[in-house]
Amino acid sequence: MYAEVLRVEYFIVPPHIIENSQASGRPVGSAIDFMENVIAPEMNVTIEWSQSGSGIPRQLKMLKNGEIDAGIIFAKNEARSKFLNYPESSFYDCRPVLDVTKNHPLKQVDDIEDLLDYQVGYSSEAFKSPFMRDERIKWDYVYSRNWITQSLKKLLLKRLDTMYVVEAPPILYAARENHVEDDIRLIFLPEPKTEIYTVFSKKSSSDLAQRYDKAFIKVGGRSRYYTMLQEYIDVNSL
């Protein structure tokens, strides 16, 4: 245990962060393992996880007010940079995808017109990347925390044409957990990749981002994270 404690909040996004059914409440997953067991020792800090995860708006408010020191998975934008310190190093990048059954006629998406004949499954009121904000898209919303698994089952039962996910790992993880990896196919959308960071409140120690960068480089950087992610999904599919 290190004397300096880092208060860290999270939200559930498998396989990076997976809800833990055990009494301890400590989350599990590749990002949790990476932060607690790889990065934290090199930063000489002890991680204090919140008792339960929360949504992104609440986390941002807590970071802005200095109620927590760090958030595990965040994209970068100008508004957030006003109250967050970002390290130079992103540990992961992602790109939105569609999930279809293996023999579905849709092979690739070059234009939004390619999607307009299909019903697209997604979580209600969740973030949509710019390409998927066209009002003509026929959405099939699922009102559940477990929406990925529910939509995946509908897809395989042919009650859904395709499903949209803002990054591939959650659907790859759900497919593995449900033993249907060989029954689906991913179609990456024509959008740029988004870099993902662990972020630090500007009201916490000002050197945390720099210390994170130093630790990140020492442990092998992004390749080390992808090695840990490989324990949950096939990273060659990304």
Side-chain angles (χ1 to χ4, degrees), residues 121-139:
Y122 193 42
S123 173
S124 63
E125 300 180 8
F127 170 84
K128 295 185 181 101
S129 55
F131 184 81
M132 297 297 288
R133 295 173 190 167
D134 193 294
E135 294 182 356
R136 294 172 294 170
I137 295 175
K138 302 170 188 172
W139 292 105

Side-chain angles (χ1 to χ4, degrees), residues 72-213:
I72 292 290
I73 296 181
F74 279 94
K76 189 174 186 178
N77 63 40
E78 186 176 345
R80 293 175 180 177
S81 296
K82 293 178 181 179
F83 58 90
L84 295 177
N85 284 325
Y86 282 82
E88 293 291 330
S89 309
S90 63
F91 69 91
Y92 170 70
D93 61 40
C94 62
R95 188 152 52 109
V97 297
L98 295 177
D99 178 32
V100 295
T101 53
K102 210 74 168 181
N103 299 318
H104 195 280
L106 185 64
K107 302 301 180 186
Q108 68 180 59
V109 175
D110 298 311
D111 186 270
I112 198 65
E113 301 287 340
D114 298 328
L115 288 180
L116 299 184
D117 290 335
Y118 302 114
Q119 197 84 4
V120 182
Y122 193 42
S123 173
S124 63
E125 300 180 8
F127 170 84
K128 295 185 181 101
S129 55
F131 184 81
M132 297 297 288
R133 295 173 190 167
D134 193 294
E135 294 182 356
R136 294 172 294 170
I137 295 175
K138 302 170 188 172
W139 292 105
D140 183 290
Y141 290 117
V142 174
Y143 299 83
S144 167
R145 290 182 63 193
N146 199 25
W147 74 270
I148 288 182
T149 298
Q150 289 188 25
S151 292
L152 180 60
K153 290 178 179 177
K154 289 178 69 174
L155 185 78
L156 295 170
L157 290 170
K158 302 189 185 307
R159 292 167 48 202
L160 193 61
D161 297 312
T162 183
M163 56 184 289
Y164 164 72
V165 195
V166 293
E167 58 159 338
I171 187 62
L172 291 173
Y173 178 75
R176 175 175 287 189
E177 289 292 290
N178 289 277
H179 311 290
V180 294
E181 290 174 286
D182 295 333
D183 300 323
I184 64 165
R185 176 166 47 85
L186 298 183
I187 300 173
F188 286 90
L189 294 175
E191 298 194 74
K193 290 184 176 181
T194 298
E195 301 295 324
I196 302 298
Y197 301 81
T198 290
V199 299
F200 302 93
S201 171
K202 286 191 174 181
K203 292 196 174 180
S204 300
S205 299
S206 60
D207 66 344
L208 287 173
Q210 290 79 12
R211 288 161 60 191
Y212 176 94
D213 274 320

